[in-house]
Amino acid sequence: MSAEPVLAERAYLLLKADIMAGRFAWGGILNERALAVEYGVSVSPLRDAAQRLVGEHMLEIAVGGGYRLPVMSPDALRDLYRWHGHLIRLILKASRPAAAFEAQSYAETEADGRAFATAATNLFLAIAQAGDDHEHRRALRSATERLHIARLGEARVLRNLEEELRAVGIATISGRGPDRFEALWAYHRRRIRRVGRIWEAISL
């Protein structure tokens, strides 16, 4: 079997992790050769990985060739938070996530922004996985992963993140009717109201 698909998968996972961690500047062009060397692959697998991430809206094809990060404006971030909230509502209206969410770990999320971002991303990815509709699952996974970098900024702007995330988990598992959706929408509304400060925190 050719090693090319294995190397492309390796490049995809490493590049995606770096994007989600906020390593690259908004609108910045990727240095394909330097990244290929760093990831231990040739340029071809790296380009395969980048093309896959274009399909996930994490990269764009740059004018003149190559790949760049999309430019994230406060308005675009606000729209993404709203879209994420609507997708969760769609999924939860049609399915009930397993009680295994109760095992979600929120330890030290207040002290460590990366731990909070990872815990929140994992929770919403689990909600996506519980969905019955394939398109809803795929859309929520994409929106959740694209918001990961914003969650790193949230930790610099918002307080009581551990308590809030735990409440979201409880509402997801055992909430009922309008109260359930209100708790989940309150999570997004809080971020939408502070989107300018969150955007500034991830744009430094």
Side-chain angles (χ1 to χ4, degrees):
M1 180 175 126
S2 170
E4 198 80 357
V6 175
L7 294 176
E9 180 69 13
R10 170 186 172 85
Y12 166 78
L13 293 174
L14 291 171
L15 182 54
K16 186 174 187 176
D18 279 343
I19 292 171
M20 290 174 65
R23 173 180 173 180
F24 308 109
W26 301 120
I29 303 292
L30 297 184
N31 186 327
E32 296 176 21
R33 294 192 179 279
L35 286 172
V37 170
E38 179 182 339
Y39 297 160
V41 301
S42 65
V43 171
S44 180
L46 182 75
R47 287 176 178 164
D48 288 345
Q51 192 62 46
R52 186 172 167 186
L53 289 165
V54 169
E56 297 179 10
H57 308 293
M58 287 192 169
L59 290 175
E60 296 176 341
I61 298 175
V63 176
Y67 301 91
R68 70 168 196 162
L69 263 70
V71 176
M72 178 67 77
S73 67
D75 286 343
L77 182 56
R78 183 181 296 108
D79 289 345
L80 187 54
Y81 274 125
R82 285 176 178 153
W83 176 231
H84 189 261
H86 290 317
L87 286 168
I88 290 174
R89 184 182 181 92
L90 283 171
I91 285 180
L92 292 183
K93 284 175 73 174
S95 62
R96 179 165 295 279
F101 284 142
E102 291 177 323
Q104 182 82 26
S105 173
Y106 310 109
E108 299 181 356
T109 55
E110 290 293 332
D112 187 342
R114 289 173 299 177
F116 161 75
T118 298
T121 293
N122 287 343
L123 174 60
F124 292 124
L125 287 176
I127 294 174
Q129 189 62 32
D132 296 324
D133 186 293
H134 174 75
E135 292 299 327
H136 290 165
R137 287 201 309 269
R138 182 166 61 179
L140 182 54
R141 279 197 305 268
S142 174
T144 294
E145 290 172 343
R146 289 163 62 201
L147 276 173
H148 186 83
I149 186 172
R151 294 187 187 103
L152 296 171
E154 290 171 15
R156 303 174 195 166
V157 173
L158 304 174
R159 297 292 180 267
N160 302 318
L161 294 175
E162 180 179 351
E163 179 182 343
E164 180 187 45
L165 195 59
R166 194 181 303 278
V168 168
I170 292 171
T172 300
I173 299 162
S174 57
R176 295 289 187 276
D179 290 342
R180 180 192 199 195
F181 294 120
E182 176 55 29
L184 290 162
W185 183 242
Y187 171 92
H188 291 86
R189 187 169 58 236
R190 185 184 184 206
R191 285 147 179 79
I192 290 168
R193 288 174 175 170
R194 295 165 177 80
V195 73
R197 291 177 60 199
I198 294 171
W199 179 82
E200 289 176 358
I202 61 178
S203 299
L204 297 176

